[in-house]
Amino acid sequence: IPPPSRDNFRNIMGEVDQQLLSGDARVIRIEDSGSDEGEDYVGPPPDFRANTAAIFKTNYKQNGWYLWPVVITAAFGRFIQGFDLGIVSGVLVPIENEFSLSQMQVQSFVSSVMIVGALGSTIAGYLADMIGRKGGLVFALVTISFGSAVMVLSTTFEMLMAARCIVGIGLGSLIVIPAMYCAEIAPAESRGTMTMLNANLYVAGPPIGYVVSLF
């Protein structure tokens, strides 16, 4: 369970280190059934894991309020994905009239974000490993913002499609990274509820997008 600040994290890890050192790195003899000789394992005391879990659990009870805003903010990425599905239905007619699009071009505009999104979700896991979960979220949101800005400034259908594909990469990344991040930072007793927010916000996105598109 991550602490609400770096200083608090250092304090917790300091307590963990003290527990480890207080165990004097006990030597445990592990007998090998296939040989009369065993192996010496130097490690923490047997109760080290339980004590460490207790420290983090206590920290969560004292500072658990910090996790909810973090989880909601991360899960908001899924809301953006659902919102895109709703808002695009309201802009199809204006875009079709503005660029004089054929039915094939309209269908390509709508479906391109899903096709490219498959690529975004595929690379999202590798991206999260390379630059971290929060870094992956930032990448996805910056990509969506940039692509949306280019769509607003588009003067040709080709430019519009290129921007839509850029947005698709970001939206595809949001399929994987928010749920991963929420599951990793949530404590066991609240992990289901916190991870569920991803699905709830995703479902809330389309109807809100529909309403916004009316105006």
Side-chain angles (χ1 to χ4, degrees), residues 62-81:
Q62 295 174 350
N63 305 286
W65 60 268
Y66 176 82
L67 287 178
W68 281 105
V70 173
V71 169
I72 293 173
T73 302
F76 194 76
R78 290 287 281 167
F79 169 81
I80 295 176
Q81 189 179 34

Side-chain angles (χ1 to χ4, degrees), residues 21-109:
L21 293 175
S22 64
D24 296 328
R26 302 177 189 176
V27 178
I28 302 175
R29 187 76 173 177
I30 302 177
E31 298 296 338
D32 185 357
S33 58
S35 172
D36 296 335
E37 297 181 359
E39 297 181 356
D40 290 335
Y41 168 74
V42 180
D47 58 349
F48 171 74
R49 179 175 296 180
N51 292 342
T52 303
I55 292 175
F56 279 94
K57 188 171 184 179
T58 301
N59 176 68
Y60 168 70
K61 289 181 178 179
Q62 295 174 350
N63 305 286
W65 60 268
Y66 176 82
L67 287 178
W68 281 105
V70 173
V71 169
I72 293 173
T73 302
F76 194 76
R78 290 287 281 167
F79 169 81
I80 295 176
Q81 189 179 34
F83 181 82
D84 178 83
L85 294 177
I87 198 70
V88 72
S89 64
V91 300
L92 282 180
V93 174
I95 289 178
E96 184 178 1
N97 296 334
E98 178 71 21
F99 294 94
S100 301
L101 303 181
S102 65
Q103 286 300 312
M104 180 62 70
Q105 289 175 320
V106 172
Q107 294 171 10
S108 299
F109 174 78

Side-chain angles (χ1 to χ4, degrees), residues 80 127 131 134-150 163 166-167 169-171 173-174:
I80 295 176
L127 188 67
I131 63 176
K134 288 186 289 186
L137 286 172
V138 171
F139 167 82
L141 297 178
V142 169
T143 302
I144 294 171
S145 300
F146 175 75
S148 300
V150 175
I166 293 174
V167 171
I169 293 176
L171 292 177
S173 300
L174 291 179

Side-chain angles (χ1 to χ4, degrees), residues 2 13 15 18 25-26 34 42 61 88 90 95 102-103 111 117 131-132 137 165 185 187 193-194 196-198 202 213:
M13 295 311 297
E15 294 182 43
Q18 289 179 6
R26 302 177 189 176
V42 180
K61 289 181 178 179
V88 72
I95 289 178
S102 65
Q103 286 300 312
S111 61
I131 63 176
L137 286 172
C165 290
I185 69 173
T193 304
M194 289 184 172
M196 181 185 63
L197 285 174
N198 288 276
Y202 175 73
S213 65

